[in-house]
Amino acid sequence: MRLIFMGTPHAAVPTLRRCLEDGHDVVAVWTQPDKPVGRSGKPAASPVKEFALEHELVVHQPQKIRTQEAIDLFTSQGADAAIVVAYGRILPASFLEAPRRGCINVHFSLLPLYRGAAPVNWAIVRGEHETGVSTMFIEEELDSGPVLLQRTTAIGERETAPELMSRLSLTGAELLSETLAQLDDLEAQPQNEDKATFAPLLRKEDGLINWSLTSEQIERHVRGFQPWPNAYTRYASQHLIIWKAETAQHEDRQRRDGEVVKASGDELILACGEDTCLRLEEVQPEGKKRMLVRDFLNGTRIRAGEQLG
């Protein structure tokens, strides 16, 4: 099949690779423009662009897609279908109508659940026990198109968003392969709008820990808000990222939310809402590398009774 591939992050690469392995003719790859990274601010290519260039594929990176130039270019490529995996832009109707077989999205949730930009993160944060991948025909309304195939997977008890995304990206590649192979026989099913939920774009402030939440809720924030914005708090007027934590039992009650209950050896335990406690395991102080709590305690004077946040 003659395909246009549209994607940007690492999670999109397995699907692009699978399209090539399955023998499809990928006539062009569309990805986001290079963005400055690090202290140098030097522009860096997206993972999809890097893979595409390694395989000598044609790459397009328009700053805007709602221009006549972009529309004409997309239409001129004569694709049977466009495959979209976390491209980062909402496609206008002129794009959706161009490929002969339509535009097919690989979305990392069980639609209609978690429509939007960050379905993997919010599924963990909101305490879902399972998630999955959906392939669907794209329509103008966000993630609302009819579903072609779905595959479900359990969310690990301590699985982080990057770990889950890595698994789902491989599942998505397999599911897209099956979708294209069966496209003539599949009957796309409309989504149930009554069950639709939204997974909005992550904001920096989403990661700020509210210590009045239970330890279980905060632990899910720690796993779900990786790799950005991360779950973070304030200590000694500085930013403190929490990378790994677990719920803990402690006999001491009537502590303030965010108060240090214990700080010794390799144990840093904090009071949370509803008389629950959270044991921190890995943290990252401002301006320093990620470290075990034992190393953090060895380098700071934090004591029981102090307040975080």
Side-chain angles (χ1 to χ4, degrees), residues 94-167:
S94 52
F95 273 63
L96 302 181
E97 296 164 359
R100 185 173 62 88
R101 305 294 298 272
C103 296
I104 299 172
N105 180 222
V106 177
H107 186 75
F108 299 113
S109 82
L110 297 174
L111 292 169
L113 302 179
Y114 296 100
R115 295 174 177 176
V120 173
N121 305 87
W122 289 111
I124 291 176
V125 168
R126 293 174 184 167
E128 300 290 352
H129 296 292
E130 68 177 20
T131 186
V133 181
S134 305
T135 54
M136 67 167 187
F137 284 122
I138 302 177
E139 294 184 347
E140 286 192 77
E141 185 179 347
L142 180 66
D143 298 331
S144 64
V147 173
L148 291 158
L149 290 176
Q150 290 187 323
R151 186 163 297 167
T152 303
T153 185
I155 298 175
E157 186 175 341
R158 303 203 68 184
E159 193 166 28
T160 66
E163 290 168 343
L164 179 56
M165 178 61 83
S166 180
R167 288 201 298 115

Side-chain angles (χ1 to χ4, degrees), residues 180-213:
L180 293 181
Q182 303 173 36
L183 195 55
D184 289 337
D185 301 317
L186 290 175
E187 184 175 345
Q189 300 297 316
Q191 296 183 38
N192 184 342
E193 293 296 324
D194 293 337
K195 294 183 177 181
T197 61
F198 188 52
L201 189 70
L202 296 175
R203 305 167 301 166
K204 179 65 177 178
E205 54 266 35
D206 289 325
L208 180 62
I209 294 173
N210 176 359
W211 291 103
S212 67
L213 297 176

